[in-house]
Amino acid sequence: MTALRSLTLFLAGILSASTANANDRPLIWTPVKNSSDSYAMRMGSHLPTDWEASAGTEVSFAGSNLERMNRPNRPVNFWGSVKLPAPRGKAATNTADVSVRLNGLTGSRSVSVSRSRSLTLTPEFAAQLDDFYTLNYDHGGDRRIDMRTTSSVRILSNSTGTSIFARGSRSTRDQEWQASVGVEQKVLTGINLRANIDNLAARHKTGSFGASYAHNW
């Protein structure tokens, strides 16, 4: 109950801000295929505030396809996010976000901060630099707070929709850096294909190939 009360106060604080014009597309309805037998549905709404904010729920399902879904393999998660305004004098391509997640069953929660910077290298190529920091609290487990940091760089081709990326990640539970490289291709609007190689520092590297789809209205 304490965790739920904290999330309620967080969302109430967002709603108490000065309201702006309603978003043209206020509803969030985003189906995502996480793996060959796992799907997630994120539902929510953009909030009518001066800052770009949204909140809602997310449910994950197990199944080989959308017609044959099983009961959720994880409890419903509540989420909220706020996009921080860019500092004055900074380019509009610098963005920062704060988000929270709350597990509706266990009470476990997380707070994340992300920062993204986009650079134009040439008329054809652009670069994107992303930093991601998260704090996780496992209320139903050992009740410890863990931190993870992830940094990535991505080179994008404007004409082909192809991007090459490299990513490094480290957490307080695993003191070794986890590195990966990959390529991503935009096929249609909202549909991406991805192939990557993980655990570059390990003796036995792993690779994967997948597709994702997202759509908001």
Side-chain angles (χ1 to χ4, degrees):
M1 293 301 294
T2 301
L4 183 59
R5 189 181 301 112
S6 299
L7 180 62
T8 302
L9 292 175
F10 171 80
L11 297 178
I14 297 176
L15 290 171
S16 64
S18 300
T19 58
N21 294 331
N23 194 292
D24 292 336
R25 303 170 68 182
L27 297 182
I28 299 172
W29 182 270
T30 308
V32 177
K33 184 175 182 180
N34 296 322
S35 65
S36 60
D37 58 355
S38 176
Y39 296 83
M41 179 65 71
R42 170 170 281 211
M43 299 163 286
S45 175
H46 297 285
L47 304 179
T49 65
D50 287 336
W51 289 6
E52 186 176 333
S54 56
T57 61
E58 183 177 282
V59 182
S60 294
F61 298 91
S64 57
N65 54 62
L66 290 174
E67 288 75 26
R68 295 183 178 181
M69 286 294 187
N70 298 324
R71 60 186 303 176
N73 57 0
R74 292 195 301 269
V76 172
N77 287 288
F78 301 96
W79 59 269
S81 66
V82 178
K83 184 179 292 294
L84 302 180
R88 292 184 178 181
K90 298 292 184 180
T93 51
N94 286 262
T95 61
D97 299 86
V98 178
S99 61
V100 296
R101 290 176 64 87
L102 170 65
N103 186 299
L105 179 63
T106 66
S108 298
R109 68 212 74 172
S110 65
V111 178
S112 303
V113 178
S114 61
R115 184 178 64 168
S116 179
R117 290 161 289 170
S118 298
L119 305 173
T120 300
L121 303 178
T122 69
E124 169 63 20
F125 294 100
Q128 182 174 324
L129 308 175
D130 295 307
D131 296 307
F132 185 76
Y133 309 92
T134 182
L135 291 174
N136 294 299
Y137 173 67
D138 186 3
H139 181 75
D142 52 15
R143 299 199 175 190
R144 59 175 288 183
I145 297 177
D146 293 298
M147 179 177 180
R148 174 175 290 276
T149 177
T150 302
S151 297
S152 66
V153 58
R154 181 184 298 266
I155 305 298
L156 307 95
S157 171
N158 297 320
S159 61
T160 65
T162 305
S163 62
I164 301 173
F165 62 88
R167 181 183 299 110
S169 179
R170 187 174 182 179
S171 71
T172 53
R173 287 186 179 269
D174 185 359
Q175 295 299 319
E176 295 184 357
W177 280 96
Q178 302 294 323
S180 62
V181 294
V183 60
E184 189 172 278
Q185 177 66 52
K186 291 183 178 180
V187 181
L188 297 171
T189 302
I191 300 178
N192 294 329
L193 300 178
R194 171 182 293 189
N196 55 278
I197 301 175
D198 302 318
N199 303 321
L200 293 179
R203 176 178 301 179
H204 302 289
K205 302 174 179 60
T206 59
S208 62
F209 177 82
S212 63
Y213 171 77
H215 178 70
N216 291 346
W217 67 80

